[in-house]
Structures are given as structure tokens and as C-alpha cells.
Amino acid sequence: MSLTLTMPQTQTQTQTQTQPETQAPAVALAPREQEALGYIAAGHTYLQTARQMGLSKHTVDAYLRRIRAKLNVHTTAELTRLAVTLGL
């Protein structure tokens, strides 16, 4: 199962458009990326997440770097907010 996210438009983007509102491109997270994001959002460390998923902490770090790049998110707090919004 894959999760597809649609990034919301900023207020500036909405104000400058003269045509009907369009959504930003959708971003898909792999199931394991979703799982890792859920653990981190729940307050687990990279090591705890890795143990739960049967991975090394370096793999968890790679998953979260990919998620940050895909979603243009820079902090763990932003990742957590996003995960809560998505219901992970």
C-alpha cells in the first residue's frame, strides 16, 4: 500500500492565480517510509525505530532523508506535524 500526498498551495500561489485552483504535484511515500515516519512521529529514536522494523539505524536515517527530500521538510517537528495530519 502506498500513500500519496498532495502538497497544499500557499496563500500567495492562490492569490496570484486567475484560473481555477489546481493542486500541487502529489508525492508518494513507500510503505516502509510511512512506517518509519510513523515511529518517529510517535517519539521513537532512530535506533528504536530500526529495531522495531528490523533494520539498521542507517537505513532508517536514509528513509527519513528521502521523506524530507520528497516533501521538502527540514525538521523532525515538521515531519511529526505531517505524520499527525496524515494519521500515521
Side-chain angles (χ1 to χ4, degrees), residues 9-36:
Q9 293 182 327
T10 63
Q11 188 175 8
T12 306
Q13 289 172 328
T14 304
Q15 290 175 348
T16 59
Q17 290 181 345
T18 57
Q19 56 189 341
E21 210 175 297
T22 58
Q23 293 183 343
V27 178
L29 294 180
R32 293 294 270 181
E33 291 172 341
Q34 291 176 44
E35 185 179 355

Side-chain angles (χ1 to χ4, degrees), residues 20-59:
E21 210 175 297
T22 58
Q23 293 183 343
V27 178
L29 294 180
R32 293 294 270 181
E33 291 172 341
Q34 291 176 44
E35 185 179 355
L37 179 56
Y39 282 121
I40 296 300
H44 292 97
T45 65
Y46 283 28
L47 184 58
Q48 290 168 334
T49 299
R51 286 182 178 157
Q52 287 290 326
M53 295 177 68
L55 304 170
S56 78
K57 67 179 181 178
H58 301 290
T59 304

Side-chain angles (χ1 to χ4, degrees), residues 37 40 46 64 67-69 71-83:
L37 179 56
I40 296 300
Y46 283 28
L64 294 172
I67 293 168
R68 285 186 174 103
L71 303 178
N72 195 27
V73 173
H74 304 290
T75 66
T76 302
E78 289 176 300
L79 278 176
T80 301
R81 182 181 56 84
L82 182 65

